Amino acid sequence: MRCLLFFILNFLVSLQVSATDLYAVFTLSSDFEPLTKSKVIMLFRGKTKYLQGKKIELSDWPQNNNIRHEFYQELLGKDLAQMNAYWARLSFSGKARPPKEIDNGSVESLVEWLAVKRFRIGYAPIDLLPANANVLYIVKKEKP
Amino acid sequence: MSKMLLALLILIMSFSSFAEIELTDQLSISGFGSTSLTKSNNQTAVIMNRVITDEVCWDCDTTFGLQLDYFNDAFKVSTQLVKRPQDKWSAPELEWAYVGYNVGEVEFRAGRLRIPIFLASEYYYVSHAYNYARPPEELYNSILGLTAYNGASVVWNVELFNEYQLAIMPFIGFNDTSLVDAGDKLDVELDIDSMSGINFLLSGEYYRWNLSYFTADFSQTFQFTNAKPDVPYFELSFLNDSVELYSLGLEYEFDSLLLTAERQIGNLRSTWYASAAYRLNKFVPYIQYGENRAKITSVSTYDDKSGSSFVMGLRYDLLYNVSLNIEWQKFKSFGEQRGSFVETPNKPEADLYTLMFNFVF
C-alpha cells in the first residue's frame, strides 16, 4: 500500500512538472551554453545584443499568436502592448533591432529562419521543438 | 494637417503591432507619431517648441517620424526624419542619419546622431514609448532644446557578472545651428561650436541607471518679431557661452509599478523630476513632479527658467501599437521668472489639459 501511495505521489509530481514546462528558448547551433533566467530576460527585453561574446538575432511569433502572448507573460510578466512600447524605445533610439517576426505561426518557418545563421535564437512550445534543438532555457509556469 | 495625422492614425490602427516593415531582409522602415487636443488656462504660452496657450490647439504636439534602417552584418545605416512639434509638415528635421560599424562588442557611429544625456533622450519624440504624454519638461528642455548633433560616438557594451549590461558611450559633436520656437514673437538661434560628453547606461532585469556628463560651447541670438509696435524686428546676440552638466537617472520596475527619477546639475540650471506609474491591465495611471532651479548666468541675471510642474494622467493602450493619454498638468513659475512659460507670464500658474494619441508601426 505504501509503495502504491509513493508511486501515485511520484506520478502526480511528474505530471505537475511536465504541465509547468511551457516553452523552450533554443538555437540550432552548438555554440551556446544553457542560459540563466536573468540572461534570457535581458535578451528578450532587448537589454543585451550579445551572448557569450557573439552578436545574436532573435525571432518572434506573429503578433496575434497566443504562443507569443503567453511566452512574454510567463517570462517577463508583460503583455504585448508593454513589449511593443519597450521595442519602440529600443528601435527608435537605435539601440536594438526588434526580433524578426516569423512569417506564419509554424515551427517549420521558425526552424527555417534559425538554420540560416548560427547565432539566431527563437522560442517554441516544448512539444513542438525540433530534434536538433539546443535548448538554452525552459520557461515554466510560475503559478500552476 | 492634424487631419492628415488622424488619417494616418486610422491606417496605423489597421496594423496589428509595432513591427518594422521589412522591405528586404536587410532594409526596413518603421515610424511613430503623436497628435493631441490641448489647452491651458493662461494667455502666456507654455512649453517651448510646443507653445500651448488658452486657445484649443490641435497641432501643438503633432509629431511624425519615419525611420529607415539598412543592416549588413556588422555594418548599419540608419536615417530618421521627424516632423517635430515646432516644424511645418513641409520642413521636417533630419533627426539622425548615421553609419555604424560593429567590431566585437564595440559600435562606432558617425553622422547626425541623437544626444544621449537623459533616460529618454534618444526616443524623446516617441510618446508611445513612455507613459506620459510629453517627457518631463523641466529636465528634457534644460539643454537649450537640443536633441541631435553632428559628430561621432562609440558604444562599448560590457557584460558585468553575467547579469548586468553596461553601455559606455563617449560622443563628440561639431558645428551645428538650430532654431528654438519660443512663441509668435521670439525665436532663439543656437550656434553650437563644439560639444562632447559621455554616457553610462547600466541595465539589469528590471532597472536602468543612466549617468551622463555633457558640455557645449555655443552662441545664441534672440530674434524678436513685432515685439513692440514700432519695431518690426530686432535681435540680441550672446557669444561664447558654455553649458556643462551632470545627470543621473534611475528607473525601477516592481511588478506593475514603475518608478522613475532623474536629476541634472549644471552651470545654468539644476533640475529634477520623479514619477510613478502603475499598470492595471490596459490602463496606466501616473503622477509626476518636476522642478527647475535657474542659476545666475552671463545671459541674464537669472537664466529665468525656475519653476515646477505636477502631472496627473492616465494612459490607455487602445491597441498594441496605439495609446491614448489624458493628462492634467499644473505649471508654476517661481520668483517672477518664466518657468516653463515661453516668456514671463502675468499669471504665474497654468493648468494644461491634454488628450493625446500616440502610435508606432
Side-chain angles (χ1 to χ4, degrees):
Chain A
M1 187 62 182
R2 186 179 283 181
C3 280
L4 181 64
L5 275 175
F6 183 74
F7 174 77
I8 292 170
L9 190 64
N10 259 322
F11 178 70
L12 288 174
V13 168
S14 71
L15 265 184
Q16 189 184 11
V17 168
S18 62
T20 57
D21 288 352
L22 291 173
Y23 297 100
V25 175
F26 72 102
T27 171
L28 298 184
S29 86
S30 54
D31 291 283
F32 298 111
E33 302 292 323
L35 303 175
T36 61
K37 182 176 184 181
S38 170
K39 180 60 73 180
V40 176
I41 288 173
M42 295 285 278
L43 274 179
F44 281 92
R45 291 194 59 163
K47 293 196 170 190
T48 178
K49 293 183 280 187
Y50 298 91
L51 198 56
Q52 295 157 14
K54 301 167 187 83
K55 191 172 184 185
I56 52 94
E57 293 177 30
L58 293 175
S59 70
D60 228 335
W61 288 69
Q63 188 76 49
N64 54 5
N65 193 301
N66 199 46
I67 290 173
R68 179 165 170 171
H69 173 80
E70 198 173 48
F71 176 77
Y72 285 114
Q73 201 64 56
E74 293 301 331
L75 178 67
L76 305 174
K78 305 294 176 194
D79 61 36
L80 296 184
Q82 288 174 290
M83 294 311 299
N84 263 316
Y86 283 133
W87 282 104
R89 173 196 284 188
L90 293 166
S91 177
F92 294 121
S93 59
K95 288 193 185 302
R97 190 179 187 184
K100 160 78 178 175
E101 199 169 283
I102 52 176
D103 292 337
N104 55 58
S106 75
V107 170
E108 289 73 24
S109 299
L110 172 60
V111 169
E112 198 177 306
W113 182 79
L114 291 173
V116 175
K117 287 186 184 174
R118 285 163 60 202
F119 304 137
R120 288 182 167 178
I121 291 173
Y123 64 90
I126 286 195
D127 53 355
L128 297 180
L129 284 186
N132 58 341
N134 173 16
V135 175
L136 303 176
Y137 183 75
I138 302 280
V139 177
K140 298 182 178 187
K141 200 172 182 69
E142 297 217 339
K143 294 168 188 169
Chain B
M1 277 299 182
S2 278
K3 284 179 186 171
M4 181 172 152
L5 200 70
L6 278 173
L8 260 170
L9 181 65
I10 292 164
L11 178 70
I12 298 307
M13 286 174 80
S14 67
F15 290 120
S16 61
S17 69
F18 165 63
E20 54 186 25
I21 300 165
E22 288 197 343
L23 304 174
T24 69
D25 257 5
Q26 294 172 316
L27 190 65
S28 63
I29 190 165
S30 51
F32 56 87
S34 300
T35 190
S36 75
L37 177 63
T38 186
K39 179 184 183 301
S40 93
N41 63 352
N42 196 314
Q43 281 187 322
T44 308
V46 285
I47 312 181
M48 67 177 187
N49 288 328
R50 299 184 190 252
V51 195
I52 304 164
T53 65
D54 58 354
E55 291 179 15
V56 174
C57 183
W58 281 90
D59 63 357
C60 289
D61 290 303
T62 303
T63 304
F64 182 67
L66 280 176
Q67 183 172 316
L68 190 67
D69 292 299
Y70 173 76
F71 302 89
N72 191 349
D73 292 327
F75 181 69
K76 176 188 177 183
V77 180
S78 186
T79 60
Q80 193 182 87
L81 194 66
V82 183
K83 183 264 171 233
R84 305 170 300 173
Q86 68 267 38
D87 295 328
K88 292 185 169 65
W89 281 89
S90 56
E93 179 78 6
L94 193 63
E95 270 290 303
W96 81 32
Y98 67 84
V99 291
Y101 192 78
N102 268 82
V103 180
E105 298 186 7
V106 180
E107 183 179 355
F108 299 88
R109 293 179 177 181
R112 185 156 183 81
L113 296 153
R114 194 67 55 76
I115 300 176
I117 297 181
F118 307 121
L119 277 169
S121 289
E122 291 173 286
Y123 50 95
Y124 176 85
Y125 292 112
V126 190
S127 295
H128 185 76
Y130 35 81
N131 284 318
Y132 17 80
R134 308 174 189 91
E137 208 278 327
E138 290 77 12
L139 192 86
Y140 283 83
N141 278 342
S142 67
I143 53 164
L144 315 167
L146 293 175
T147 52
Y149 69 101
N150 298 322
S153 71
V154 179
V155 189
W156 181 31
N157 295 289
V158 188
E159 187 178 288
L160 298 175
F161 310 115
N162 207 30
E163 281 195 25
Y164 313 108
Q165 194 71 30
L166 176 65
I168 303 168
M169 189 193 309
F171 58 94
I172 185 163
F174 310 104
N175 289 353
D176 194 16
T177 300
S178 61
L179 201 66
V180 176
D181 181 357
D184 292 340
K185 296 174 183 171
L186 175 63
D187 289 320
V188 183
E189 186 181 276
L190 281 166
D191 290 310
I192 302 292
D193 298 323
S194 64
M195 68 162 69
S196 59
I198 187 164
N199 171 264
F200 300 87
L201 180 65
L202 178 69
S203 301
E205 284 177 40
Y206 295 103
Y207 67 84
R208 292 191 297 162
W209 285 41
N210 186 74
L211 178 67
S212 296
Y213 168 75
F214 173 74
T215 182
D217 294 322
F218 66 97
S219 301
Q220 54 185 337
T221 303
F222 293 80
Q223 303 170 342
F224 296 90
T225 307
N226 299 321
K228 293 177 182 176
D230 51 340
V231 184
Y233 178 84
F234 73 99
E235 59 180 44
L236 288 171
S237 292
F238 299 89
L239 306 176
N240 305 321
D241 262 310
S242 67
V243 58
E244 183 177 39
L245 64 87
Y246 299 86
S247 81
L248 174 65
L250 306 177
E251 181 185 80
Y252 273 83
E253 282 175 53
F254 301 100
D255 293 324
S256 300
L257 178 66
L258 177 69
L259 300 177
T260 312
E262 290 193 84
R263 175 94 164 97
Q264 180 255 116
I265 300 170
N267 64 331
L268 299 182
R269 292 162 196 157
S270 167
T271 66
W272 67 275
Y273 77 88
S275 72
Y278 192 84
R279 189 168 187 89
L280 294 161
N281 296 317
K282 292 182 176 183
F283 293 94
V284 184
Y286 56 87
I287 54 171
Q288 176 191 296
Y289 178 78
E291 255 188 35
N292 189 343
R293 297 279 179 176
K295 296 181 178 178
I296 295 172
T297 70
S298 57
V299 177
S300 63
T301 310
Y302 283 93
D303 182 52
D304 221 18
K305 223 175 159 335
S306 293
S308 71
S309 76
F310 174 75
V311 179
M312 192 156 61
L314 181 71
R315 171 186 166 122
Y316 175 67
D317 287 318
L318 281 168
L319 289 171
Y320 305 128
N321 59 335
V322 180
S323 58
L324 171 72
N325 284 83
I326 301 172
E327 201 174 272
W328 165 67
Q329 185 162 17
K330 177 85 174 178
F331 288 99
K332 288 183 182 176
S333 63
F334 299 156
E336 298 183 351
Q337 296 187 42
R338 70 183 166 88
S340 293
F341 293 89
V342 298
E343 59 187 318
T344 305
N346 292 325
K347 192 176 74 170
E349 294 186 1
D351 293 287
L352 177 66
Y353 303 93
T354 304
L355 174 66
M356 185 181 282
F357 283 95
N358 315 293
F359 61 84
V360 292
F361 67 90

